[in-house]
Amino acid sequence: DVQVVKKDFSEDASQQIPQAIDLSKSSIDDGINLLMGLERQCRLAGDFKTLKEVCVSMVTICYNCGNWTKLNSTIAVISKKRSQSKVAITAVVEECMSYLDKTPNETIKIDLIKILMEICEGKMYVEAECARLHLIMAKILEAKGDIDEACAMIQDVHVETYGTLDKKEKVEFILEQIRLNLIRKDYIR
């Protein structure tokens, strides 16, 4: 049996995060790679507080550099790490959702939404974020005139079972589902 040794990496993070930010000004890959090493150490040692800080710093660096492709790939890499912390994934998803209104164009926004939806899928601890992403995507599809796709996007999201959403948000989501079905003339659902 392998014993996980608890260690506090906050001191390392306080040194390496500013270094990574400086490195990213010349090479974003070098800045992210520096933090990937620290992310691994924190994750394996169970230092979730520092892990969260490191992961959020990685996506913030990508955002600040305006490199949306690197942001999407960094999010994917963080989420697919073996035994990745729920705290880290939740923090990364929440941070990246704050970038949705700041994307330079709709294509980049859709790509970011899709990667976040992929990460959230099947994870109860980010179910509220997943529902919100589906709703945002449905509104984008409806604006493009694709009512069927918009309806399909939110139809199978069962928000009434989500404990993390407040009642008002659940009702608004369900009303949006009903509204899209009525536009589509699907009176059975």
Side-chain angles (χ1 to χ4, degrees):
D1 284 6
V2 177
Q3 293 252 330
V4 177
V5 178
K6 285 256 185 200
K7 184 178 175 195
D8 183 9
F9 286 96
S10 58
E11 202 171 296
D12 294 340
S14 65
Q15 293 172 356
Q16 289 185 28
I17 290 172
Q19 279 180 318
I21 292 168
D22 287 342
L23 273 173
S24 68
K25 291 175 183 167
S26 58
S27 169
I28 190 169
D29 289 331
D30 291 344
I32 297 298
N33 288 338
L34 175 66
L35 291 181
M36 280 291 183
L38 182 58
E39 180 273 338
R40 182 178 187 275
Q41 291 175 322
C42 294
R43 180 170 34 89
L44 295 177
D47 183 2
F48 299 126
K49 182 175 182 255
T50 307
L51 175 66
K52 174 183 170 182
E53 183 183 354
V54 170
C55 290
V56 169
S57 295
M58 283 192 276
V59 296
T60 303
I61 286 171
C62 296
Y63 169 73
N64 289 338
C65 290
N67 192 331
W68 298 94
T69 306
K70 186 69 177 176
L71 174 65
N72 290 346
S73 65
T74 302
I75 299 166
V77 168
I78 290 170
S79 72
K80 291 177 182 165
K81 295 280 186 174
R82 184 173 61 88
S83 66
Q84 184 59 277
S85 160
K86 293 175 182 180
V87 174
I89 291 175
T90 303
V92 166
V93 168
E94 288 172 353
E95 181 68 22
C96 291
M97 284 184 70
S98 73
Y99 303 154
L100 289 174
D101 292 332
K102 301 168 188 161
T103 54
N105 60 51
E106 195 171 80
T107 305
I108 290 172
K109 183 176 188 173
I110 290 170
D111 289 345
L112 182 56
I113 291 170
K114 284 181 179 176
I115 194 83
L116 290 172
M117 283 172 40
E118 187 179 302
I119 290 165
C120 292
E121 204 62 47
K123 295 179 177 81
M124 286 184 66
Y125 53 93
V126 283
E127 67 185 3
E129 289 81 0
C130 188
R132 290 180 191 118
L133 288 165
H134 277 83
L135 188 59
I136 292 167
M137 191 65 176
K139 287 180 180 179
I140 290 170
L141 290 168
E142 182 186 9
K144 287 182 172 183
D146 197 347
I147 302 297
D148 290 339
E149 272 297 310
C151 198
M153 181 60 61
I154 63 172
Q155 193 59 51
D156 293 326
V157 180
H158 303 288
V159 291
E160 60 275 8
T161 63
Y162 289 6
T164 51
L165 288 174
D166 63 10
K167 285 183 183 179
K168 183 178 186 247
E169 201 168 3
K170 286 180 191 179
V171 169
E172 287 172 352
F173 195 95
I174 292 167
L175 286 172
E176 188 66 18
Q177 288 174 325
I178 293 168
R179 187 183 70 77
L180 286 173
N181 276 314
L182 290 174
I183 290 171
R184 207 169 73 161
K185 298 190 182 341
D186 182 357
Y187 303 113
I188 297 169
R189 291 185 202 251

